[in-house]
Amino acid sequence: MSFALVLATVVATVAATAPLVQDTARTPRTAADSAAAQALLAVRVSADRSSRAQYRVTRTRSSTRTLTPLREVPQSITVLGPQILRDLGLQTMARAMEYVPGVTMGQGEGHRDAPTIRGQSTTADFFVDGVRDDAQYLRDSYNVSQIEALKGANALAFGRGGGGGVINRVMKQAEWTPTRSGRLQSGSYDERRVTLDVGQGLTSQLAARVNALHEKSGSYRDFVSHEKSGVSPTVALHAGNTMLRAGVEHFVDTRTVDRGIPSANGRPSALDWRTFVGDPEQNRSTMTVDGAHLLAEYENSRGVTVRTHTRAVRYDKFYQNVFASSAVNAAGTQVNLGAYSTAADRRSLFNQSELVYTSRFGAIRQTLMTGTEFSRQATDNVRLTGYFDNVSTSRAVPLTATAGPTPVTFRASATDADNHAVVNVAAVFAQEQLHVGEHVQFVLGARYDRFAVRVRDHRTDAVTQRVDYLLSPRGGVVFTPLRTLSMYGSIGISSLPSAGDQFSSLSASSSTLRPEQFHNREVGVKWTPSEALELSTAWYRLDRTNSAAPDPTNPALLVQTGAQRTNGVELGVTGAVTTRWNVVGGMAVQQARMLNRTSSARAGATVPLVPRTTLSLWNKVRVTSHASLGAGVVHQGQRYAAIDNSVQLPAFTRLDGGLFVSLPLSLSMQANVENVLGARYAATSHGNNNIMPGAPRTLRLSLSVMP
């Protein structure tokens, strides 16, 4: 199908659905009712267009599980709203996190999101509308309304893990405001992408919406490509004081697994940034996500709200790869290769229920929230080792032949996994948001989890299990001397059981270990000099304790003496400086070090992928009534590629640009240029010898239809 034909299909779809806009309210009985209904519809559409012109988001539910203004949340939060996602073309979590201070993204072996948040590396601290989304894959933003990065431990809201923070995607839902948008995108390296977002009220009680995606693109890296598609229909039913929301999603991602280039002499090697190290015929990944959710909310006039949210999802993942397992040799002529494959099938079921009661007694206002969470996750894991010529697990190859056919067979080794893991969680939590007068608010609460994991090894039929009871308190105070200014202090504790992020760390040895703990202490200031602009800063200390380390008297045993500390300060800005100038960005200065030895690190080592300084700033300026210009900068200081601190990734600065033009017929054209000056840099890594070169100058053109 040609690009022009796809665009015509999108435009025709939007045009064909336009007459349905008149059905968003119940059929009027009188002319006065009809006029009132049309006026209300006009207000809704106007408000929606106005909100799209702003970068700043003012409220969130994720941190406190109640709808709270951001300036009253005692936690550092960066929210990337829908207009920011569109203007910057933030389709992936890796691109989005470039504009979140305190967060960097790892390479994730070329097939999964792997952020490091305040010095804590994770693959599992992702959420969808506050519900855990912990499988290993690369997420897309086609059906996302906003992305929220919450920094600091907050287990009260999110449960286990989340030691450095979490990333929450707020999904698009059916609304009564008409939505008619489509976007067609093309760019460098054979990028092709189309998205569609259509929805509206069908009656005064029922609304529906569908988001869809298809993308098939190449890469600036030789032999690399990916294809992904998704569809996400949602419905909403409003009946009296009750709102019901439901939806499903089917998402498929197929790609070449690209693990970048190796190091040489403690730095990224001088290989051409297009060089593929491995075997593109063997390096492949396929992920299928099938999910469904149901949310019911009841609210009455006496300040009582009851919510229950159920989400069921299946993740079916397979990947295999041939990759550099060593640095380039001293002569600069060859590198060693390793290989393995992994299949994981995870089925998850979550239910969260909450009761919220709000009241006021004179100068005291309070919001009491209590709730429960129950979940069950069952995962089948199979890992196989790659053998070269059916004999060796490593093979030295000339650098000129790294992308050629590689004779690899995959079979189980003695240490490979073949197991079935079941995790059951039951939790209760409570939180009080207490406003004393107009200037002081206290946030106090705790969560208590029963976390039970059971792993059966299919090869030996051995069963390993452990039950942990996790108490996670949280406290904060917010002082608001002015309506536009708030200052806060907070402390939070989170725990990670010995099964690890993906339940794969549980063994006969580790099953005796207590959960690791994360203690976050933070103070900050949030200032809104205007309703459209927000500035924030936060100072924090995050301590990680109970990490496993070898017993000094018996290295075969593990003891829990390992410790890590991150100290840092963050600055953030989001919103409109003037009616013509929008900005988003931030700066972080942090130091993450090992205080005591762990199983993988010496005392004093710097945590990998944590630059001393990161800076990002995007500006969009309207120069005429129909055209705007964008300019941005992304900077990361020198980082270490791995915990042994033997390979350094040099600091880099990248400049980006954009052009935005409004066209007739509700069309708009957008051009984004990443890395305008064509800087060569190492973007990120997965260990010392899987270093991902940054993209060279990259152009993306898009044509959108949006009323």
Side-chain angles (χ1 to χ4, degrees), residues 30-173:
T30 65
D33 291 338
S34 177
Q38 293 300 321
L40 178 59
L41 179 59
V43 169
R44 284 178 175 171
V45 174
S46 176
D48 185 54
R49 287 177 175 168
S50 174
S51 66
R52 288 204 302 261
Q54 302 297 325
Y55 278 10
R56 181 180 174 231
V57 175
T58 60
R59 298 186 297 175
T60 180
R61 186 186 298 273
S62 55
S63 178
T64 60
R65 304 185 76 94
T66 63
L67 195 58
T68 303
L70 280 174
R71 61 173 170 253
E72 294 183 7
V73 175
Q75 182 176 15
S76 177
I77 303 176
T78 300
V79 181
L80 303 176
Q83 188 65 37
I84 295 174
L85 299 181
R86 280 191 291 269
D87 286 352
L88 283 159
L90 302 181
Q91 302 161 8
T92 66
M93 296 300 105
R95 285 293 317 281
M97 291 305 105
E98 290 180 339
Y99 290 89
V100 178
V103 181
T104 56
M105 289 294 285
Q107 183 204 84
E109 297 182 293
H111 62 83
R112 64 174 181 244
D113 292 318
T116 296
I117 310 174
R118 290 188 173 177
Q120 313 304 319
S121 177
T122 178
T123 63
D125 292 322
F126 290 91
F127 290 78
V128 171
D129 295 325
V131 179
R132 192 172 294 274
D133 175 42
D134 57 3
Q136 297 183 338
Y137 69 108
L138 294 167
R139 295 153 179 84
D140 195 276
S141 65
Y142 79 99
N143 59 343
V144 174
S145 174
Q146 64 190 41
I147 298 173
E148 304 172 334
L150 300 92
K151 278 72 69 74
N154 183 2
L156 186 148
F158 297 101
R160 69 183 185 275
V166 304
I167 298 171
N168 182 52
R169 292 181 294 157
V170 179
M171 310 305 277
K172 296 177 180 177
Q173 300 289 346

Side-chain angles (χ1 to χ4, degrees), residues 72 117 187 244 261 367 465 487 503 514 555 641 651 691 704:
E72 294 183 7
I117 310 174
L244 296 176
I261 61 176
T367 300
Q465 55 190 347
M487 296 173 282
F503 325 134
R514 300 184 307 275
I691 300 170
S704 301

Side-chain angles (χ1 to χ4, degrees), residues 580 620-630 658-662:
R580 292 176 174 266
K620 181 183 178 184
V621 178
R622 180 161 53 87
V623 293
T624 72
S625 58
H626 297 287
S628 300
L629 293 175
L659 171 65
F660 309 86
V661 179
S662 298

Side-chain angles (χ1 to χ4, degrees), residues 433-498:
Q433 293 172 266
L434 185 66
H435 291 78
V436 181
E438 297 299 320
H439 304 296
V440 179
Q441 177 194 186
F442 296 96
V443 179
L444 301 170
R447 176 181 174 124
Y448 188 71
D449 287 75
R450 182 186 185 274
F451 178 91
V453 58
R454 186 176 188 270
V455 179
R456 177 180 292 276
D457 189 319
H458 289 309
R459 295 196 176 101
T460 65
D461 210 34
V463 174
T464 306
Q465 55 190 347
R466 180 179 171 91
V467 177
D468 288 298
Y469 298 91
L470 312 176
L471 178 62
S472 306
R474 181 192 189 193
V477 59
V478 182
F479 176 54
T480 312
L482 303 171
R483 187 180 62 86
T484 60
L485 179 68
S486 66
M487 296 173 282
Y488 70 88
S490 66
I491 183 170
I493 297 176
S494 181
S495 300
L496 179 65
S498 56

